[in-house]
Amino acid sequence: MTMLKTILGASILLSLFISAGCSDNKATDVGNESNAQLSTPSHAADAQVVLTTQQSIDGTPTYPYQEGDAIPALAYIAHNEVYNPESVIPPQCYTKTDGVNNPCYACHQSYDGIEKRPNQMGDGTLQGNYEFSDVGLTNSWKNLFIDRTSLIAGIDDATIRKYVAQDNYTASLENNVMPEYMRIEHLAAADKAFDSKGFAHDGSGWVSYNYKPFPSTFWPTNGSTGDAMIRLPEDFQTLNGEYNKAIYTLNLSLVEMALKALETLTVAPVDEVALKLDVNQDGKLSNSVTEIARSSHYVGDARAVPLAHMLYPEGTEFLHTVRYIGVDDKGNIYNAPRMKEVRYMKKHMFRSRESLASAYYAEAKDKHFEKLPQTRYLGEKGIDNGFGWTINGFIENEKGELRAQHDQELAFCNGCHKTVGSTFDQTFSFARKVPGEAGWGYINLREIEDVPNINEEKGEFLTYMERVGGGDEFRQNGEMLAKWFDEKGMVKAEDVQRAKSVYEIITPSPERANALNKAYLTIVKEQSYLFGRDATLTEATNVLSTIDAEQPPLKPEHRFKWDMRLDWQKDKSSAIADAR
């Protein structure tokens, strides 16, 4: 690549190479004498990056990168040059299966037509088959192949713990960086942001819910903590034009029933007489009922809106934060105040099952004719995934402040929230919510057991580790291998089953948490998100850099039918349920 001309200011690009401290003061500068080492892009190991600036005719600084040089990620963005046209292929899809290790099943599924699912992707054949375009045959997620142990050596534990304890979300609100629709007051601290039932104290209508993290990218032991919130349109929250929490609660429950295909759910006590509504459909009105039966339509001012099978109503919003791993003074793991990303989705247009079928067909047709994926960019609003959803996201800049993601960075989101066979209306977490009343409230891993998936017998996480052969897709989480696998590489099933909650299974030691936080910080300093944003410590050895025909597909006996929904009934007599 010759003479890339930057449109960014010199101070921005040079911050990729020169020491850049944390945002508030010198005491929190993650580096001091080691900053130069931190901020040098590790991709320059095999090619020297030229730092000398020149002046073009119009006076704009230029950076003369030569063919073969390690170009910084922001340089691609600055010049609007697409780095990875197949960014919708997640890093995990390049994992070596060796014919027997299958992390693919959690995303790639084909379901029987009798279920009439709106998701008609039918990509179960991708379990172990690398059905990529010519461009996708090369793994562009080169951050996976970086050993970051030397880069993090100069960061002490106290410094990184102080860094992740800082609230960069509130700062972004105060600086008007983030749009109002993504605002929740005091979101950095759950106890200040939500009541015990998950309702935001600020009256914004956001409601948090407790859900089982998806295997295994969102397990804290693999790099990040997180949470999720849902908000329904205003008419789902009101009765005769006035806000009504009971009505909102009922509509949230009806959404849950529609998405999960359930007929009943538990709810907080509801006064049917006051609402003039037969909530449990027993033919009479009672002062206090604790179960809701599925109805054909929503209630309150949304009474004209019908429930749609496995689909959200138009206007549904989700907010999802991806955070660093917090470690308290006792070594407990929690959701750190500092956020890596704030992600947002809004269903801007309702599409019926038939309408969605045409979208899936168009996607399959484009792939058949070897057309590269297309992303529709909406400027400040984010991107349109083509299935009725708008997606937006904010991510840390080199100073640790949240900034809007660039177009190419946002295109990465379509890898999971566009055409993946296992999703429910292009989403993951809500289908995995603890059912009914018990599931409304901020995420708490200590209140969730390793219940199995629908049509499975053993715990989901136990089953996942058995099928994958490790505690992450890449099979390189040494701590998980040492804790849950024996010397022959077999899962110690009885040990996993004895865990009191999923917290014990999927949270890291304080030492690993600190190391993962440091590793991700080096990516932040580089601003190299286009090259991958997985917080890995060492070079991935179970990941393919290129795909060739000699790579063995998964053997038939190692491919699985799977439903991400969970069989919570097996948790009824658990210690957690008794405690509730």
Side-chain angles (χ1 to χ4, degrees):
M1 189 175 298
T2 58
M3 295 298 294
L4 287 178
K5 176 183 175 184
T6 184
I7 58 174
L8 297 178
S11 62
I12 297 178
L13 267 181
L14 284 178
S15 69
L16 296 168
F17 310 108
I18 301 174
S19 169
C22 299
S23 58
D24 57 353
N25 55 48
K26 187 174 181 180
T28 58
D29 189 338
V30 182
N32 295 324
E33 65 266 16
S34 63
N35 265 352
Q37 181 187 35
L38 253 183
S39 54
T40 301
S42 51
H43 320 295
D46 58 352
Q48 184 172 352
V49 177
V50 182
L51 296 180
T52 305
T53 63
Q54 299 177 0
Q55 294 294 321
S56 62
I57 295 176
D58 61 2
T60 305
T62 62
Y63 295 84
Y65 302 104
Q66 302 302 315
E67 188 74 29
D69 284 349
I71 310 301
L74 288 186
Y76 289 95
I77 294 170
H79 295 276
N80 197 28
E81 180 169 338
V82 177
Y83 165 70
N84 180 10
E86 281 280 26
S87 60
V88 296
I89 303 176
Q92 291 77 10
C93 287
Y94 291 94
T95 299
K96 296 178 184 177
T97 68
D98 296 327
V100 297
N101 302 300
N102 184 358
C104 317
Y105 76 92
C107 286
H108 302 302
Q109 289 292 324
S110 299
Y111 299 102
D112 294 332
I114 195 172
E115 295 186 57
K116 295 185 177 180
R117 294 189 181 218
N119 187 340
Q120 299 170 56
M121 181 60 188
D123 59 1
T125 59
L126 293 181
Q127 289 189 40
N129 280 345
Y130 301 103
E131 300 174 10
F132 296 160
S133 66
D134 289 344
V135 173
L137 293 177
T138 299
N139 186 348
S140 296
W141 305 108
K142 56 187 179 179
N143 272 343
L144 291 175
F145 303 103
I146 303 300
D147 187 328
R148 297 188 178 271
T149 51
S150 62
L151 292 174
I152 69 176
I155 311 174
D156 63 78
D157 290 349
T159 300
I160 194 64
R161 288 175 67 173
K162 184 172 183 178
Y163 179 77
V164 305
Q166 295 170 344
D167 175 8
N168 59 346
Y169 172 82
T170 300
S172 71
L173 297 179
E174 293 174 346
N175 296 329
N176 295 318
V177 172
M178 196 170 297
E180 189 68 23
Y181 58 79
M182 296 173 67
R183 173 187 292 268
I184 301 178
E185 296 292 341
H186 310 297
L187 183 56
D191 57 337
K192 295 181 179 179
F194 305 101
D195 66 21
S196 61
K197 295 301 179 183
F199 288 83
H201 289 302
D202 62 6
S204 61
W206 286 109
V207 187
S208 61
Y209 52 92
N210 196 15
Y211 62 98
K212 194 177 183 186
F214 191 80
S216 69
T217 299
F218 290 99
W219 292 356
T221 185
N222 291 323
S224 303
T225 59
D227 54 23
M229 287 66 65
I230 186 173
R231 179 165 63 184
L232 300 182
E234 185 175 336
D235 55 347
F236 287 75
Q237 305 179 35
T238 59
L239 178 62
N240 300 324
E242 298 291 332
Y243 176 78
N244 189 300
K245 189 173 183 179
I247 287 293
Y248 194 13
T249 299
L250 293 174
N251 279 327
L252 287 165
S253 299
L254 289 169
V255 169
E256 183 176 352
M257 284 189 278
L259 193 78
K260 297 180 180 179
L262 300 174
E263 295 302 318
T264 61
L265 275 178
T266 58
V267 291
V270 177
D271 186 345
E272 294 181 314
V273 176
L275 296 178
K276 298 179 181 179
L277 189 65
D278 187 3
V279 172
N280 60 4
Q281 296 182 27
D282 63 353
K284 58 183 180 180
L285 300 183
S286 304
N287 295 113
S288 181
V289 298
T290 56
E291 184 177 80
I292 179 175
R294 180 170 176 153
S295 59
S296 61
H297 289 69
Y298 292 98
V299 296
D301 293 343
R303 64 180 68 90
V305 181
L307 273 67
H309 180 57
M310 292 185 175
L311 293 172
Y312 301 102
E314 183 175 320
T316 300
E317 299 170 275
F318 284 98
L319 196 65
H320 167 48
T321 73
V322 183
R323 306 179 184 224
Y324 287 83
I325 310 167
V327 182
D328 69 17
D329 293 338
K330 296 182 179 179
N332 295 309
I333 302 300
Y334 69 100
N335 285 9
R338 177 170 290 278
M339 301 179 189
K340 297 178 178 181
E341 298 182 53
V342 180
R343 300 171 176 177
Y344 172 83
M345 291 180 68
K346 181 175 183 178
K347 191 165 187 176
H348 63 263
M349 177 177 65
F350 180 83
R351 299 188 67 170
S352 67
R353 179 175 178 272
E354 293 73 24
S355 174
L356 290 170
S358 67
Y360 283 110
Y361 174 77
E363 182 96 352
K365 184 178 178 180
D366 285 347
K367 185 173 182 179
H368 176 76
F369 287 103
E370 299 182 357
K371 293 183 179 180
L372 291 174
Q374 300 295 312
T375 299
R376 183 185 176 193
Y377 299 106
L378 305 175
E380 293 181 355
K381 292 183 179 180
I383 60 176
D384 183 339
N385 78 344
F387 287 77
W389 292 91
T390 301
I391 303 173
N392 205 355
F394 285 71
I395 201 164
E396 284 184 288
N397 66 15
E398 70 277 6
K399 296 181 180 180
E401 302 163 347
L402 291 169
R403 64 161 173 82
Q405 292 194 40
H406 299 297
D407 288 352
Q408 289 191 58
E409 293 167 339
L410 277 175
F412 166 78
C413 304
N414 272 344
C416 292
H417 295 289
K418 190 173 184 181
T419 49
V420 174
S422 66
T423 58
F424 285 72
D425 203 353
Q426 278 64 52
T427 67
F428 291 85
S429 65
F430 197 68
R432 302 171 58 80
K433 172 189 171 292
V434 175
E437 181 189 9
W440 295 112
Y442 194 74
I443 187 170
N444 187 344
L445 301 182
R446 294 185 187 274
E447 290 192 345
I448 301 175
E449 288 190 359
D450 188 25
V451 296
N453 296 94
I454 291 175
N455 300 321
E456 300 276 2
E457 292 298 323
K458 293 186 287 188
E460 177 190 42
F461 291 172
L462 169 60
T463 300
Y464 181 85
M465 289 189 285
E466 288 178 337
R467 293 175 178 177
V468 173
D472 66 319
E473 295 96 336
F474 308 131
R475 305 193 304 283
Q476 69 179 50
N477 185 329
E479 188 168 273
M480 289 290 281
L481 292 170
K483 185 175 182 180
W484 301 119
F485 292 77
D486 62 23
E487 64 279 359
K488 296 180 181 179
M490 304 299 291
V491 180
K492 295 184 284 188
E494 292 183 357
D495 289 355
V496 178
Q497 290 169 335
R498 278 195 291 267
K500 295 179 180 179
S501 68
V502 297
Y503 175 92
E504 295 184 19
I505 302 175
I506 63 171
T507 54
S509 65
E511 294 74 22
R512 177 172 171 80
N514 290 332
L516 289 169
N517 287 337
K518 295 172 188 177
Y520 185 80
L521 181 60
T522 66
I523 295 174
V524 173
K525 290 293 182 178
E526 297 164 0
Q527 291 290 281
S528 60
Y529 304 121
L530 289 187
F531 306 150
R533 53 188 89 175
D534 294 277
T536 53
L537 299 175
T538 58
E539 180 178 356
T541 57
N542 292 320
V543 178
L544 299 167
S545 57
T546 57
I547 306 295
D548 62 64
E550 296 181 0
Q551 296 299 328
L554 275 168
K555 298 175 183 178
E557 63 268 29
H558 294 288
R559 302 186 182 204
F560 307 100
K561 290 283 188 180
W562 185 77
D563 191 317
M564 77 156 73
R565 292 174 299 175
L566 298 148
D567 187 356
W568 298 97
Q569 296 299 316
K570 290 196 169 64
D571 189 31
K572 271 194 170 181
S573 61
S574 70
I576 292 176
D578 292 343
R580 280 191 171 276

